[in-house]
Amino acid sequence: MLRQALICAALLAFVLALPLLAPGSIGWLIPAFFLAPIAPWLCVRLNRRAVSHRDWESNADHLDADRIDTVCIEPSLLIGRRWLQAEIWLPFERVGGERFRSQKGAMALSAAVALTDECVQNENSAEGFSAQDISEWEQALGISSRNFKLRNPRMDDARYCGFPGVIVLDGKSLRAYFVGGPALLTECRRVLDGTERNLTTDDRERLRDIPSRALCYATALLIDGHLQEVCYIGSVLPVARYGVSPDALAAGQRLHRMGIHVTLDTQDTWALENARAMGVEWPEDDGRTGVLHLRGVHPDTEQPHEFDRPVLALIRASRQERYHRLLCGLFGLMLWPCATLSREPWPFLIALLCLCLTILITRDQVFPPPPRYGPRSFLAPLAPGVLLPLIIWFFIEYIAKGDSTTAGAYMIISEAIVFSIWRVSLLLGQPGGFRTLLLGSLICLIAFSAIVLLTTNGTWISASFGSVAGVLVAVAVIVGHRVLGMEKVQG
């Protein structure tokens, strides 16, 4: 943008300097021809608003949205429903949850899991084992906690070497069940390995393979109020399983259909591995520049997964800005044919300043979506915008009685006022739109007054003719853009 600003400054300097260096020369019209569209175009660029979305963070402010062809997302967005299953050690060998109930010792371990589930929730909440988690892995193992608790009523709480447990009625006897981490195994003397037996040195060596996050269960009879030798039953390792988010998958497919590639951020290796495990084959980010990076701003449970929404919002905002750049550039360019009727650059510069100021005051405003447009929408207005000033040039000497300078000045300022007021009027109905229209009208009034002061020697006939001619040219340009151009595009 700095380069465009320097170009505008250089062109403005030429427009101002050439009449001073060569009085009476019309050479200033050459730099004015380039300044006319570039200055409004730059003002629209200065009005560029940061596109933000309440659910997402991105690097969109540093990118040209028209050239974005790749979006990089966090792989955690692809993780949808989460559920828990469990892996079992009975007592030393790992057994899949689907084969658990057919193993020896499965009933004893099921009873231990069901009867101590409240102990797990209370003692291990920091590990993430909530009541819902416990219920999920019990269901995955086919354990009905309610049935075990009805068959083995709870009599009291228990604790063994710091590990929590419960005392339940087991037939006519009292039995204690305990739960804890692998450290519980060092306090066990016996093991349920088909039948109950003493733990050997080799057994303890094999127990080292049990994961540190596994829940280990043990039991012992209570006789005459004394706890008998504690027997290790088995271990359970809750395992989280994930399903791919249908919303995220659909969002990626919508972007792919638009020709936008989706890549995965590699920083979160855990989420990336889960995405691969779910069958997602989108490529990983290769570190290229010009890639739109999206990050969610909410916790995982609250973060929307439709990551195409901020991308589409960015594209819409970019298209709207591009439309207004072209439209304002067109308006600025159409001032130049009328400027050729003036011998001095001041009317042209005042008209151009009026247009640019009305563009700048709309910085905080949101325009309605642009209509369908194409090349013809901006080519069609060129015909009336150039031909009408040319036709008027043949009549200006007769109607204005030789006062072409006054007629040309009023013609160009009237054209700029119509362009400015029409564009600002698009904001009516938007918040602050009426206030912006009043401010734009004030700017136009000041610009018109400046022309009046500069042409004090002109006649009212020349001023009236120029004003009507300028309005006619501006209306023809707007109609050519909004009607003729639209019909040809839609046709």
Side-chain angles (χ1 to χ4, degrees):
M1 191 180 300
L2 178 61
R3 182 172 59 184
Q4 289 84 358
L6 293 176
I7 292 174
C8 279
L11 292 172
L12 178 61
F14 278 117
V15 172
L16 294 173
L18 287 176
L20 299 176
L21 297 176
S25 171
I26 59 172
W28 61 270
L29 287 172
I30 297 175
F33 176 80
F34 297 98
L35 180 63
I38 294 178
W41 180 90
L42 180 62
C43 289
V44 177
R45 289 285 291 175
L46 290 173
N47 274 8
R48 185 178 187 180
R49 302 180 60 192
V51 181
S52 60
H53 198 287
R54 64 179 182 178
D55 298 322
W56 305 90
E57 291 180 349
S58 71
N59 59 334
D61 293 343
H62 307 288
L63 299 175
D64 185 351
D66 292 337
R67 299 182 179 179
I68 292 176
D69 60 359
T70 303
V71 176
C72 180
I73 64 168
E74 298 171 300
S76 58
L77 293 174
L78 292 165
I79 297 177
R81 189 176 69 88
R82 172 184 180 272
W83 68 94
L84 283 176
Q85 293 181 338
E87 295 180 354
I88 310 296
W89 279 260
L90 271 178
F92 310 106
E93 301 296 333
R94 178 179 172 276
V95 179
E98 64 278 1
R99 297 190 297 114
F100 162 66
R101 301 182 68 179
S102 63
Q103 304 297 313
K104 293 181 179 179
M107 186 60 68
L109 182 58
S110 298
V113 170
L115 297 173
T116 61
D117 53 9
E118 294 182 6
C119 299
V120 174
Q121 181 182 348
N122 295 335
E123 296 287 332
N124 295 278
S125 59
E127 299 293 333
F129 298 140
S130 64
Q132 179 63 30
D133 294 336
I134 298 167
S135 175
E136 284 186 8
W137 85 59
E138 286 180 343
Q139 291 179 12
L141 296 175
I143 297 174
S144 175
S145 175
R146 181 173 179 273
N147 292 341
F148 278 103
K149 290 177 179 179
L150 289 175
R151 189 163 56 246
N152 303 101
R154 179 173 180 166
M155 308 302 294
D156 202 355
D157 293 331
R159 189 166 288 272
Y160 173 67
C161 296
F163 297 102
V166 294
I167 298 174
V168 299
L169 189 63
D170 185 11
K172 295 182 179 180
S173 305
L174 293 177
R175 178 173 290 276
Y177 288 97
F178 302 98
V179 60
L184 174 61
L185 304 179
T186 62
E187 307 299 333
C188 295
R189 298 292 178 266
R190 297 178 68 78
V191 61
L192 184 62
D193 187 14
T195 59
E196 188 174 328
R197 61 175 177 80
N198 291 329
L199 273 168
T200 65
T201 303
D202 291 340
D203 293 336
R204 294 191 182 279
E205 194 69 27
R206 296 169 66 187
L207 290 176
R208 293 182 180 179
D209 294 333
I210 295 177
S212 61
R213 291 194 72 249
L215 296 172
C216 301
Y217 294 88
T219 184
L221 283 173
L222 204 66
I223 300 178
D224 295 333
H226 296 286
L227 195 66
Q228 304 303 299
E229 289 185 320
V230 177
C231 176
Y232 165 58
I233 305 174
S235 301
V236 176
L237 176 64
V239 179
R241 304 296 185 195
Y242 300 90
V244 65
S245 168
D247 293 335
L249 198 60
Q253 292 171 347
R254 286 191 290 268
L255 292 181
H256 284 148
R257 286 194 293 268
M258 295 173 58
I260 299 177
H261 303 287
V262 180
T263 60
L264 302 180
D265 196 330
T266 58
Q267 295 184 10
D268 190 344
T269 55
W270 175 85
L272 184 60
E273 290 174 358
N274 275 280
R276 298 302 185 212
M278 292 184 296
V280 177
E281 299 180 353
W282 295 346
E284 298 175 8
D285 179 38
D286 56 6
R288 288 189 301 112
T289 58
V291 175
L292 177 64
H293 289 263
L294 287 178
R295 294 186 179 276
V297 299
H298 303 297
D300 291 342
T301 56
E302 302 174 9
Q303 177 63 41
H305 290 216
E306 299 90 342
F307 59 86
D308 60 322
R309 291 184 178 180
V311 179
L312 296 177
L314 179 63
I315 293 174
R316 285 194 298 268
S318 175
R319 289 176 177 173
Q320 184 170 32
E321 181 192 342
R322 180 173 58 195
Y323 170 77
H324 283 283
R325 287 203 308 264
L326 293 172
L327 180 64
C328 293
L330 172 68
F331 288 165
L333 182 61
M334 291 297 94
L335 295 178
W336 188 83
C338 292
T340 61
L341 302 177
S342 176
R343 297 175 184 175
E344 299 292 335
W346 297 109
F348 166 75
L349 293 177
I350 292 173
L352 188 61
L353 179 63
C354 174
L355 178 61
C356 290
L357 288 178
T358 55
I359 294 173
L360 292 176
I361 64 173
T362 61
R363 180 177 180 83
D364 297 326
Q365 304 297 317
V366 179
F367 282 87
R372 289 184 60 188
Y373 65 91
R376 292 188 181 91
S377 302
F378 297 95
L379 293 176
L382 295 180
V386 174
L387 292 178
L388 284 177
L390 182 62
I391 295 172
I392 292 171
W393 181 81
F394 288 105
F395 295 96
I396 197 169
E397 292 293 334
Y398 300 100
I399 299 178
K401 307 300 182 181
D403 191 8
S404 59
T405 301
T406 300
Y410 278 89
M411 184 175 176
I412 190 172
I413 193 62
S414 299
E415 184 180 9
I417 288 174
V418 173
F419 286 152
S420 301
I421 295 299
W422 177 80
R423 182 176 180 275
V424 175
S425 67
L426 296 176
L427 294 171
L428 289 177
Q430 305 291 330
F434 184 71
R435 183 175 64 252
T436 304
L437 178 60
L438 290 179
L439 182 57
S441 301
L442 178 61
I443 293 173
C444 293
L445 179 61
I446 293 173
F448 190 83
S449 301
I451 294 296
V452 172
L453 294 176
L454 288 173
T455 57
T456 54
N457 296 327
T459 64
W460 67 270
I461 296 178
S462 300
S464 300
F465 174 76
S467 299
V468 173
V471 171
L472 177 64
V473 173
V475 171
V477 170
I478 293 172
V479 171
H481 170 69
R482 297 288 287 193
V483 178
L484 300 179
M486 297 301 115
E487 289 179 352
K488 290 182 179 180
V489 171
Q490 293 175 359

